[in-house]
């Protein structure tokens, strides 16, 4: 069974802390994505990566960075957490290819609260 | 105007009824369209892809109306287990990027 695993289901952090969200996939997917989901706004893309050590900014990269040192792992870093980064964070992966990469497999999400 | 828009609902529908909802998109050059289902506190999962000719999978039918720039999802003989939020996603200019609607919440009542 395909799997995208996010390291934490719930996380509470303080303003100014550095936060690491980890995502691991076991499907040998080339593409990996980080989204945040907020009520009424839908999923918004933060960063994505289409290969090891490659990264591209999405729609809302400010305040975030990413790391992809291995194909199976994609990390999201909040350099200095702020209250407006309280959100559900979803990691996703997909195969490369015009048709195949359209099916995203999501992790179960990390609900981050920044106090 | 948002790039992809959905009626947030909720749609309250009796079990066994037929329900349909739409998703409008602003980029007329969009080529690929998708419906994802998201259960409460769970991750989205692909329900159906929608291509030019539309498609059907059991009780679910998805269609594309290019002239009016919307896709639709029709659910026949609705089940209690169909209760969920339905997200539409549209392939944007980037080959990697999907643009998402905020979702339509569906509640099937016994």
């Amino acid at each position: 069974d395909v799997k995208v695993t996010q390291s934490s289901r719930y996380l509470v952090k303080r303003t100014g802390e550095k936060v690491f969200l980890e995502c691991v996939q076991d499907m040998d997917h080339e593409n990996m994505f980080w989204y945040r989901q907020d009520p009424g706004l839908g999923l918004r893309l933060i960063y994505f990566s289409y290969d090891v050590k490659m990264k591209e900014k999405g729609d809302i990269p400010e305040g975030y960075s990413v790391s992809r040192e291995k194909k199976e792992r994609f990390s999201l870093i909040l350099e200095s957490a702020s209250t407006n980064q309280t959100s559900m964070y979803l990691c996703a992966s997909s195969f490369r290819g015009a048709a195949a990469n359209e099916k995203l497999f999501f992790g179960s999400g990390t609900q981050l609260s920044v106090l | 105007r948002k790039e992809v828009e959905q009626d947030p609902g909720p749609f309250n529908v009796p079990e066994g009824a037929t329900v349909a909802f739409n998703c409008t998109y602003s980029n007329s050059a969009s080529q690929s369209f998708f419906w994802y289902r998201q259960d409460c506190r769970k991750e989205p999962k692909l329900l159906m892809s929608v291509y030019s000719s539309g498609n059907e999978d059991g009780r679910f039918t998805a269609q594309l109306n290019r002239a009016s720039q919307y896709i639709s999802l029709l659910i026949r003989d609705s089940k209690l287990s169909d209760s969920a939020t339905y997200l539409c996603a549209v392939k944007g200019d980037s080959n990697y990027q999907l643009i998402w609607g905020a979702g339509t919440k569906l509640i099937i009542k016994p």
Side-chain angles (χ1 to χ4, degrees):
Chain A
D1 200 13
V2 297
K3 205 150 188 181
V4 180
T5 304
Q6 294 184 228
S7 53
S8 304
R9 187 72 178 94
Y10 298 96
L11 210 52
V12 179
K13 295 290 181 182
R14 296 210 174 272
T15 302
E17 279 194 79
K18 191 168 186 175
V19 182
F20 293 87
L21 302 183
E22 303 286 346
C23 176
V24 177
Q25 50 96 2
D26 64 0
M27 296 165 282
D28 202 33
H29 284 167
E30 293 85 3
N31 303 326
M32 296 189 75
F33 306 82
W34 275 106
Y35 288 92
R36 63 177 282 178
Q37 185 176 30
D38 300 288
L41 294 179
L43 278 77
R44 292 181 292 167
L45 183 64
I46 304 171
Y47 267 97
F48 64 98
S49 168
Y50 52 88
D51 205 346
V52 176
K53 297 194 185 293
M54 304 301 289
K55 60 185 178 184
E56 295 283 345
K57 292 180 180 179
D59 296 320
I60 50 164
E62 296 78 19
Y64 303 95
S65 61
V66 290
S67 172
R68 190 153 180 214
E69 296 297 318
K70 294 185 178 180
K71 189 176 185 180
E72 67 271 19
R73 186 179 297 269
F74 193 34
S75 303
L76 179 69
I77 302 135
L78 285 66
E79 299 291 345
S80 178
S82 62
T83 54
N84 63 12
Q85 292 178 309
T86 291
S87 185
M88 171 66 77
Y89 289 87
L90 287 160
C91 174
S93 69
S94 69
F95 282 116
R96 184 180 297 162
N101 76 1
E102 290 160 354
K103 179 172 182 179
L104 296 183
F105 294 86
F106 285 87
S108 55
T110 296
Q111 179 62 54
L112 173 67
S113 297
V114 182
L115 306 178
Chain B
R1 182 187 171 189
K2 289 182 181 178
E3 291 187 72
V4 178
E5 289 197 82
Q6 295 182 254
D7 184 332
F11 283 50
N12 290 285
V13 174
E15 192 176 7
T18 296
V19 60
F21 30 83
N22 295 336
C23 166
T24 60
Y25 60 95
S26 60
N27 184 354
S28 59
S30 299
Q31 293 298 317
S32 303
F33 311 87
F34 310 90
W35 285 105
Y36 279 74
R37 171 195 169 123
Q38 186 173 25
D39 292 307
C40 189
R41 297 193 189 92
K42 299 277 191 177
E43 71 274 19
K45 293 184 180 177
L46 181 66
L47 179 66
M48 302 177 78
S49 301
V50 189
Y51 297 107
S52 298
S53 56
N55 57 329
E56 185 173 319
D57 182 3
R59 297 182 294 108
F60 296 83
T61 300
Q63 294 199 313
L64 168 64
N65 185 317
R66 282 199 183 277
S68 300
Q69 293 183 211
Y70 71 88
I71 60 172
S72 62
L73 181 66
L74 178 84
I75 306 174
R76 289 180 296 277
D77 187 24
S78 53
K79 313 289 185 193
L80 296 176
S81 57
D82 294 334
S83 297
T85 296
Y86 291 83
L87 307 174
C88 70
V90 177
K91 196 174 187 185
D93 293 336
S94 158
N95 202 33
Y96 299 97
Q97 192 159 335
L98 292 175
I99 312 298
W100 295 81
T104 296
K105 187 170 184 177
L106 175 65
I107 301 171
I108 305 298
K109 302 199 165 188

